[in-house]
Amino acid sequence: LYEKLSAHKTDTGSLDVNEDYDEELFAWAEGQKKMLARHLKGKDVPLSNERIKNLKSLGLEQNRENDYIRRGKWDIMYQQLVEYKNAHGGSIEIPEMPQREDNSPEINRLDKLRRWCNTQTKYLRRCFHGYTKSINLTTERIEKLRKAGFNLVSYEQMYYKLVAHKAETGSLDVDKDADEELFVWAEEQKKMLLRHFNGKPISLPDDQIRNLKSLGYEQKSRRRKGPSDVMDAAATWNSMLQGLVKYKEEHGNFSFPGGKGALPKHERLVMYWARAQRLEYKKLQQGNESSLTAHQLQRLTAIGFEMKPRAEYIPWEQRVQSLREFVSEHGHCKPNKQHPLISFVTKIRQYYRLRKEGYATSLTDERVKDLEELGFVFKAGKSPNVIATVRKSWEERVEELLAFKDEHGHTIVPQLSGPLGGWVHGQRTEYKKMKAGVKTSMTPEKALRLTEIGFQFEAYRTK
């Protein structure tokens, strides 16, 4: 019988024997499998070491307890399902059989097949939600069930369906009535993420957890006692934007006067959120990583929200009068760094230096005369010859470089020609750092942007 089983494996590529095809070999093979299972569990069996070795070499050895039995039974049950489907016009719906003591073997067999199908459906549902541990379903078996007629939807299909839903609606919230299947799946992912955020193990692989987080799911923590919650970051952002719109409708602006102490709780949250958006915008302007998307920036500007709010305008005459009062009290025009006038004094000195270089500024001859009469010191500090310039963003410098290229036909700006020359030299320096693997403000995106406009990263001196 061993030689017969070996020949069967050679002919079919499998150790599974159809009972109807060879009842004797089927019974013997099942008996060997059971005895080998007992042996692998450390129990005594009426098999010599040589026979155990032969059975293992034939392929009956297992990696998990009773795996070979499950493998054999699974294939047998699957074959019965295929036969049932062929005999019933392609249907795999098996009706529930009445439980009676006098049931025929055929009824009992069909009832067993029905229960097996229910188990496979349960396993498939667990795979569908991302539970992959402790499930006796391989990729090959899942494909077989699909061919048999089981309605299968993969985890990846549901994930990309949710991605499309967010792209269409801007939210991860799914209406149960509109798509119950996606709603159930999304709720299951939130439950598993909640366990993950609370430090509990879940069956989702790390890459699926990262995908869900990048899609917009985040943890909402409560300061008081109580469980955390999983929220859709996009839905949170939309909710805060509506709060900002409502604040403007009630107050007519986005100024939030009086600070957090004078605002009710819901308006304080809106104020903090508005500040966070401006901070993210600043990161974006500096070329750093930011959570603010182009679509979100467009929506903020559409409601009139200024990403770089201007300071309250104070007329020149009022500024100069404040400076006169300071001079009358202190006898000089040099307020310390903590004084409210320091920003005005600093700007005047900057404008004066730019004026000396030939740049147009708001500092007219008349204004210079008014300040000189007060004894204003236009050049202060240990290095009066240092030229202070208004700092520009990276994108503004790129636009300035494009204007230079249009005028001169190239992007090689002399280093000592002015602020743009210094910036160009700095980009070459930062690019070398990036190539050397050193921490730098240069990013691949910036390098690509410069390359597109014909920037020369290697400049050579000419005689």
Side-chain angles (χ1 to χ4, degrees), residues 399-411 420:
E399 293 299 325
E400 192 175 345
L401 181 60
L402 284 170
F404 179 93
K405 182 181 179 182
D406 291 340
E407 182 178 353
H408 298 88
H410 59 80
T411 60
L420 181 60

Side-chain angles (χ1 to χ4, degrees), residues 59-110:
L60 289 179
E61 186 176 7
Q62 62 177 15
N63 292 323
R64 286 172 48 185
E65 180 183 355
N66 289 337
D67 181 62
Y68 73 93
I69 294 177
R70 290 194 183 96
R71 188 187 305 119
K73 285 189 175 180
W74 194 95
D75 291 334
I76 291 170
M77 297 304 293
Y78 176 76
Q79 184 60 38
Q80 289 183 14
L81 178 63
V82 172
E83 294 172 357
Y84 179 89
K85 177 181 178 182
N86 294 336
H88 292 79
S91 173
I92 59 171
E93 297 294 331
I94 305 174
E96 187 172 355
M97 304 297 173
Q99 298 297 319
R100 295 201 304 259
E101 293 183 0
D102 59 344
N103 277 345
S104 66
E106 177 62 18
I107 290 179
N108 290 333
R109 187 183 70 82
L110 289 176

Side-chain angles (χ1 to χ4, degrees), residues 173-209:
D173 294 330
V174 182
D175 186 356
K176 184 177 180 180
D177 295 332
D179 193 333
E180 184 173 0
E181 182 183 52
L182 183 59
F183 170 81
V184 172
W185 184 86
E187 289 300 309
E188 190 65 29
Q189 305 315 298
K190 291 170 70 174
K191 289 179 183 178
M192 285 192 284
L193 278 178
L194 177 58
R195 288 181 56 84
H196 169 71
F197 288 140
N198 289 331
K200 298 179 181 179
I202 61 175
S203 62
L204 284 180
D206 292 340
D207 60 334
Q208 291 182 358
I209 294 175

